[in-house]
Amino acid sequence: MRVVHLKPQYLVGLGAIAGRRKFTGDQLRGRHQDRGDEVNLSNDISGLLGEWALITGLEQVPGVERPEHDFWDCGKPIKGADARFRGVGYDAKSLIMAE
C-alpha cells in the first residue's frame, strides 16, 4: 500500500479532472451503475487519486522508460489497465481514508 499526501496546489487540477470524468461518466453510466451524485463523484475522485499515485510512482522508477496511460483523457471511461510499464499493465485501487 502507498499512502499519498497531496500538495494543495495539485487539488485544483485533480478536482477539475475528476469533475470532467464524472460528467462523462454520467452520460454513459447505466441506471444499475448510478449511485447518486455524491457517491459517483467520490468514486471518481478515489479512482483518479489511485491512478495518479500509480503513475507518479512508476515515473520515479529509475530509467528512461515512462508509463503509458490515459490519465488526461476525460472523454471516455478508462478500460483495462490504468497504466502500462515495461510491458506490464497495472490497475490502481484506492481508498480514501480519514486521518
Side-chain angles (χ1 to χ4, degrees), residues 43-80:
N43 289 343
D44 288 337
I45 290 170
S46 178
L48 178 86
L49 293 175
E51 291 170 42
W52 180 75
L54 170 65
I55 292 165
T56 57
L58 290 173
E59 287 175 341
Q60 295 173 13
V61 174
V64 297
E65 298 154 286
R66 292 287 167 240
E68 299 171 23
H69 57 81
D70 291 332
F71 184 79
W72 306 109
D73 187 350
C74 298
K76 63 178 176 49
I78 294 180
K79 300 287 184 182

Side-chain angles (χ1 to χ4, degrees), residues 10 14 18 27 50 65-66 69 77 84 88 90 96:
Y10 295 155
L14 292 172
Q27 309 305 310
E65 298 154 286
R66 292 287 167 240
H69 57 81
R84 294 194 63 76
V88 177
Y90 294 90
I96 298 175

Side-chain angles (χ1 to χ4, degrees), residues 2-50:
R2 178 177 179 165
V3 176
V4 177
H5 297 281
L6 293 173
K7 295 179 181 179
Q9 60 265 34
Y10 295 155
L11 294 177
V12 172
L14 292 172
I17 294 169
R20 179 60 190 173
R21 285 188 178 185
K22 181 189 176 298
F23 175 80
T24 299
D26 285 347
Q27 309 305 310
L28 303 171
R29 190 176 288 116
R31 176 171 278 168
H32 68 283
Q33 296 170 308
D34 190 351
R35 307 284 190 269
D37 281 340
E38 287 183 25
V39 175
N40 289 342
L41 182 58
S42 177
N43 289 343
D44 288 337
I45 290 170
S46 178
L48 178 86
L49 293 175

